Amino acid sequence: MSTKDFIEKDYYKVLGVPKDATEAEIKKAYRKLAREFHPDANKGNVKAEERFKEISEANDILGDPKKRKEYDEARALFGNGGFRPGPGAGGGGTFNFDLGDLFGGGAQAGGQGAGGFGGGLGDVFGGLFNRTGAGGPGTGTRTQPRRGQDVESEVTLSFTEAIEGATVPLRMSSQAPCKACSGTGDKNGTPRVCPTCVGTGQVARGSGGGFSLTDPCPDCKGRGLIAEDPCDVCKGSGRAKSSRTMQVRIPAGVSDGQRIRLRGKGTPGERGGPAGDLYVVVHVKDHPVFGRRGDNLTVTVPVTYAEAALGGEVRVPTLGGPPVTLKLPEGTPNGRTMRARGKGAVRKDGTRGDLLVTVEVSVPKDLTGKARDALEAYREATADEDPRAELFQAAKGA
C-alpha cells in the first residue's frame, strides 16, 4: 500500500463507523463485515474477496490505537491528497502534486523538498509501514530497539521462608551486551545496517486474505545490524554469556511450584530496548510439624482420652510465634478440626489465613497399675453401651 493510497482511503467509511468510534465499535463492525465477505463464504466471488481485503486493511489501521492516531494525523494534515493554499497563494483553487516528492527519500536541490519540507516526511509514517526513516541503508535509517530475552530460574525455600517471605541470592547466567565490542558485534564498533530488513530486524511475508506476518530477518538474525569485521568474542552477535548474582525478594505466602514474574530482571535489551523478565519457579521444603491448605496452615495435635472425653485446654504451637491455647469441648471426637484465626499463611492483601488444628486421641502403649484399674472400672461401668449398635442397624437397613 502506497502512502498516497493510505492518505486517500477513508477507512472509517470502509468499516461503516464514525470517526469517533470506540475500539469496541470498530471491532464489532469489522467482525460483522468479515463474516459477510469472507472468501470461504463467497466461493469464486472476486468482488467479495477484494472487499474482504479492504475490510482487513481498514481494521489493521483502525484496530491499532497507535496506527489509528498516525492515520488521523496524516488525514488532518493532507486532507484528501492535495493542499489548499491560503488567500495569498494565488490561483484560488486546489493544486495537486506528486506525493512521492514529499514521502520519497530526501530533499531536492537547494535543501528543501516539495512544499518546503526538507528531507521528506517518511518518518511520520514509520510505525505504519514498518519504516524507521527515509532513505536506504547507511542514509539515516535507524535500527529498532530490541527487547531482552526472558530468563527462568529456580529457588528452593524452607517452609517458614515461603510463609513469611525471604530475600535470597540468585546466580544467573544469561546473554548480555558483549563487553569486547560494546554490544555492536563489530571489532571496530561500526556495524552496518542490514540491507535486507533495513535495520528493522524483521521481514514481512504475506499470508493471504489481506493479512501479513513478520519473521526475524534471516540475514541479521533479527538484530538489524551486520558486522563488517565480526568480534572474536561474540562472533558478531553483539551478545556474550554473562553471570551475575541478584538479591531476589520472594513475597510472603508463595506456594510450592508457584512461578513468580520479576519485570525487567531478565536479559538486558539492545539499542535502548527494555530488559526481559525473570521468571522464578519456587520449590518449598516440607515442615516436620506444619502443613498447608491454601492460605491456611494445618497441624495435628495429640490429646489424651481424658482430655477428649472430659474437655479441657490444649496448648498448640504456631509457626514462628508463641503457642495458642484452644478450649477442648467435652466429648471431642478423634479427628475433629478446630480453628486458630489469623495464625496461617500471609495472603496477597497482607492478612493471614488460619491455623487448622486436628485433634488426634492418643492411646497409651503401656498402662500403669492405677491407670489399668481405672480403665477396667470404666469398662464395667459402660458395659451396657455398644458404640457399634447404630453401625449394624444401618447395615441391616441398607
Side-chain angles (χ1 to χ4, degrees), residues 45-221:
N45 189 333
V46 178
K47 290 185 178 181
E49 183 177 351
E50 291 299 324
R51 176 75 168 127
F52 181 76
K53 290 181 180 179
E54 189 179 33
I55 294 165
S56 300
E57 185 179 295
N59 181 67
D60 182 56
I61 300 299
L62 301 184
D64 185 314
K66 182 180 178 182
K67 291 183 179 180
R68 181 183 179 183
K69 181 175 182 292
E70 292 172 341
Y71 170 71
D72 289 341
E73 290 175 350
R75 294 272 295 179
L77 178 62
F78 298 112
N80 291 320
F83 284 105
R84 296 185 181 274
T94 300
F95 65 96
N96 294 310
F97 50 87
D98 186 0
L99 288 173
D101 292 339
L102 279 175
F103 301 98
Q108 298 176 350
Q112 295 293 322
F117 294 91
L121 294 177
D123 286 346
V124 176
F125 305 99
L128 288 166
F129 299 104
N130 202 24
R131 293 164 56 183
T132 54
T139 60
T141 301
R142 300 185 301 276
T143 55
Q144 296 289 329
R146 189 180 184 188
R147 181 182 182 274
Q149 293 182 341
D150 295 335
V151 179
E152 184 168 293
S153 186
E154 296 179 312
V155 65
T156 300
L157 304 178
S158 69
F159 190 90
T160 302
E161 288 175 329
I163 298 300
E164 302 296 337
T167 299
V168 296
L170 191 64
R171 185 170 179 80
M172 296 196 321
S173 295
S174 62
Q175 295 292 317
C178 177
K179 294 181 179 179
C181 63
S182 300
T184 64
D186 191 277
K187 287 183 180 179
N188 301 318
T190 56
R192 63 185 176 92
V193 175
C194 175
T196 303
C197 64
V198 199
T200 64
Q202 296 179 327
V203 291
R205 59 181 174 89
S207 61
F211 295 95
S212 63
L213 303 173
T214 58
D215 291 325
C217 177
D219 293 336
C220 65
K221 303 299 187 291

Side-chain angles (χ1 to χ4, degrees), residues 251-319:
V254 295
S255 56
D256 184 55
Q258 185 172 339
R259 195 167 181 251
I260 300 173
R261 179 184 183 184
L262 301 175
R263 295 182 182 274
K265 299 298 182 181
T267 301
E270 294 185 75
R271 300 184 295 279
D277 298 332
L278 169 63
Y279 291 88
V280 181
V281 179
V282 179
H283 301 288
V284 181
K285 295 179 180 178
D286 292 333
H287 194 279
V289 173
F290 298 97
R292 185 171 179 181
R293 191 183 304 164
D295 294 329
N296 299 323
L297 299 184
T298 62
V299 63
T300 299
V301 177
V303 297
T304 65
Y305 176 78
E307 289 173 326
L310 302 177
E313 293 184 345
V314 179
R315 294 178 73 245
V316 178
T318 61
L319 184 67

